[in-house]
Amino acid sequence: MSQSTFPRRGFIKGLGAAAIAAPLASMLSSCAAGTGGGEDDIKQKSAAAKSKDNPFGMAENSKLDAVVFNGGYGIAYCEYAANVMKKKWPKTESVSVKASNHIGQELQPRFADGNPPDVLDNAGSGRINVSAILDQLDSIDDLLEAENYEGKKIADTLYAGVKDTGTYGDKFVELNYVMSAYCLWYSGSLFKEHGWEAPKTWDDLLKLGEEAKKAGKYLFLFGKEAADYYMLMCLGSAIKEGGDEVRLNFENLKPKAWSQEPMQAALTSLKKIIDNGYMKPGGAGTQFTAAQSQWCHDQAALLYPSGSWIENEMKSQTKSGFDMMGCPEPSVSNSPAMGHGALHAGPREAFLFPSKAKNPGAGKEFMRAMLSKEAATNFAKTVHVPTIVKGSVPEDGFGSTALMSLSKMLDVAEDKMFPIRFSTFYGMTKDNLVPWNDFLSGKKSVKELTDAMQAISDKVANDSSIKKTTFK
């Protein structure tokens, strides 16, 4: 799976960034005094004069050190971009793209030693809590001001929202590469066979649940590491209903945010689905990809809430002729404030650029290669998800029904796309999983879930050791 912005993906989330944040912050501060002139000398030797063609001053004989989360998107797309960079700069000494399944665990010692990589893809289980390393990250405004490999200003080639999504406080530090969306995924062929329509509201879901039961299927299922996908579905539904005010109450850890009326309506509707037996039992004891296989291969359930990486993540297990398609998360009412087409969507898959890297120019040059039309088109073609680079997906979606469906949803949503960032920013994933597994298993009431989630939010809000940001 993958995030970000959309908490997500690969946010498969057994470890939780919260466990990493505190020790990482203390280790970073303790080592700060020990990283001095020697490191600066190394940087100076690896730098060259900045120019229009070399906007980050990367020396021709530089070494690229990139660490990439090996999740739903794999790392082949980054290896491809590294080769594009190598073609542009043939004298580059080496371009190392290392795969990691535990970003925080593996990179924490490197940050603490003052030896972070030039660029990292901060995603997956145990991603680093951005709030813990914000002061250790380079600002990247210069990246958007640079020209891409086709000679166009990078900022002019991207979808809207890229800078906002990666800005914390007043510092732009995170480049989210993938244009992602959370939605409900289903089999187009199965729905066509039974004459079912994609649901728009929770009432539609309840009716579809009864139809699923008649067909010997469940409406939903879940896996233990991804139980919070249903949290995101309910958050998205509540935000669509009430608008930005509802979103910002969650984002900024406001008291009683989980008691907001739109959220209570969404949770109550999901509880009806669970109580009616429309949720496949046993999810709390099922590994998430096994659960996803039950959906896309066995077709045990009609719908699955996930991010747009789901097709690529499950491509080897998806039933032939499945025709994966998506629809927006359910609306609470027939007239939500943001409209039915509003999406929890936008840029995600966060790339960070440590300020103490040996070759910071190489890290940004690598991202310039990633933002070339060649690399962006390769990503969409091979992973079946669009990047933040506009115009990289043809109308036929490279033959992918999921990609065609996603592209249409993004076009309809336009300026009605919204982020949900608080959970991943503050490393709350691990704590979130426990109450959501219990709720989906029928062991918690709406009130008990509400109280548990508010307690998690309040704990972070009241912890003075955790750096806060104001989301807008």
Side-chain angles (χ1 to χ4, degrees):
M1 294 183 288
S2 205
Q3 301 30 272
S4 259
T5 50
F6 307 146
R8 82 60 128 24
R9 148 183 112 83
F11 324 89
I12 303 185
K13 309 170 179 172
L15 286 176
I20 294 169
L24 176 58
S26 62
M27 292 175 77
L28 286 173
S29 61
S30 67
C31 74
T35 54
E39 182 177 291
D40 293 337
D41 290 342
I42 293 173
K43 286 185 180 180
Q44 290 172 6
K45 291 176 182 177
S46 65
K50 294 182 180 180
S51 65
K52 186 176 182 180
D53 194 48
N54 187 12
F56 314 119
M58 184 187 75
E60 286 190 343
N61 62 343
S62 286
K63 296 180 179 180
L64 171 69
D65 179 7
V67 179
V68 178
F69 174 65
N70 189 20
Y73 301 135
I75 70 163
Y77 72 101
C78 287
E79 293 173 329
Y80 185 95
N83 287 330
V84 171
M85 174 182 166
K86 183 77 171 176
K87 284 192 295 183
K88 171 74 173 176
W89 301 98
K91 293 183 180 180
T92 302
E93 189 171 330
S94 63
V95 285
S96 171
V97 177
K98 180 185 176 184
S100 172
N101 293 106
H102 306 288
I103 290 292
Q105 180 180 332
E106 294 183 17
L107 293 186
Q108 177 178 335
R110 293 192 59 181
F111 270 96
D113 289 342
N115 181 37
D118 303 320
V119 58
L120 66 136
D121 172 21
N122 189 36
S125 175
R127 69 177 63 77
I128 295 178
N129 186 344
V130 176
S131 66
I133 60 170
L134 192 57
D135 293 341
Q136 305 295 320
L137 300 176
D138 209 355
S139 60
I140 53 174
D141 297 87
D142 55 343
L143 182 58
L144 298 194
E145 292 301 311
E147 290 187 354
N148 64 12
Y149 283 4
E150 291 77 40
K152 297 181 180 178
K153 183 179 176 180
I154 288 175
D156 295 337
T157 67
L158 309 180
Y159 282 107
V162 172
K163 186 169 183 178
D164 290 343
T165 302
T167 298
Y168 299 99
D170 59 356
K171 191 175 181 183
F172 177 37
V173 297
E174 185 178 270
L175 198 288
N176 290 278
Y177 184 69
V178 182
M179 200 63 185
S180 186
Y182 273 93
C183 52
L184 292 180
W185 296 96
Y186 63 95
S187 165
S189 58
L190 181 67
F191 271 53
K192 183 177 181 181
E193 176 188 343
H194 289 272
W196 296 327
E197 293 185 1
K200 285 187 175 181
T201 66
W202 286 100
D203 286 342
D204 292 341
L205 279 173
L206 283 164
K207 293 174 183 177
L208 191 57
E210 185 60 33
E211 293 298 314
K213 190 174 183 179
K214 292 177 182 177
K217 299 179 182 295
Y218 293 95
L219 181 66
F220 287 122
L221 48 68
F222 71 101
K224 58 184 178 181
E225 302 94 341
D228 59 340
Y229 281 0
Y230 287 87
M231 176 190 78
L232 295 173
M233 180 175 74
C234 290
L235 282 167
S237 179
I239 292 166
K240 286 170 64 171
E241 185 66 22
D244 260 355
E245 180 181 356
V246 171
R247 176 180 66 84
L248 291 174
N249 285 335
F250 285 108
E251 295 276 74
N252 293 315
L253 309 176
K254 297 297 184 181
K256 299 183 179 181
W258 285 89
S259 296
Q260 294 178 96
E261 186 175 339
M263 174 54 79
Q264 288 297 296
L267 292 178
T268 299
S269 295
L270 180 54
K271 180 63 173 171
K272 288 180 182 178
I273 287 171
I274 296 166
D275 289 346
N276 285 353
Y278 301 156
M279 178 73 70
K280 190 177 187 298
T286 304
Q287 199 266 343
F288 80 95
T289 52
Q292 291 173 181
S293 181
Q294 292 171 3
W295 163 69
C296 66
H297 183 271
D298 303 341
Q299 295 190 309
L302 270 57
L303 296 159
Y304 187 70
S306 183
S308 45
W309 58 84
I310 186 70
E311 181 190 24
N312 189 63
E313 185 171 67
M314 300 305 294
K315 62 184 178 182
S316 66
Q317 300 180 54
T318 301
K319 181 180 179 180
S320 177
F322 189 81
D323 291 347
M324 192 178 294
M325 300 182 73
C327 64
E329 292 163 325
S331 300
V332 170
S333 69
N334 289 320
S335 54
M338 297 182 72
H340 289 299
L343 279 180
H344 170 196
R348 59 160 302 101
E349 198 69 15
F351 284 81
L352 304 175
F353 305 81
S355 55
K356 292 185 180 295
K358 287 184 178 178
N359 292 288
K364 290 183 178 180
E365 185 63 29
F366 166 75
M367 185 51 63
R368 191 161 76 115
M370 290 266 287
L371 295 171
S372 68
K373 188 170 183 179
E374 179 182 354
T377 300
N378 171 74
F379 181 90
K381 183 177 181 179
T382 57
V383 181
H384 288 171
V385 178
T387 71
I388 56 174
V389 179
K390 294 183 290 188
S392 56
V393 178
E395 289 187 7
D396 66 356
F398 299 111
S400 163
T401 56
L403 184 53
M404 283 192 291
S405 179
L406 174 61
S407 295
K408 289 179 181 178
M409 284 189 285
L410 291 172
D411 289 342
V412 169
E414 294 183 339
D415 62 343
K416 299 299 183 181
M417 293 186 282
F418 56 87
I420 300 175
R421 299 159 292 187
F422 70 101
S423 184
T424 49
F425 183 79
Y426 291 114
M428 302 158 77
T429 298
K430 183 179 179 181
D431 290 338
N432 293 340
L433 287 173
V434 175
W436 277 93
N437 270 291
D438 286 347
F439 183 70
L440 297 177
S441 299
K443 297 179 181 179
K444 279 190 183 298
S445 66
V446 170
K447 183 180 186 306
E448 288 170 331
L449 178 65
T450 299
D451 291 345
M453 295 308 299
Q454 191 63 55
I456 293 170
S457 179
D458 290 346
K459 182 180 178 181
V460 174
N462 297 328
D463 188 339
S464 60
S465 70
I466 298 176
K467 296 179 181 179
K468 308 299 194 302
T469 190
T470 299
F471 289 106
K472 299 177 181 179

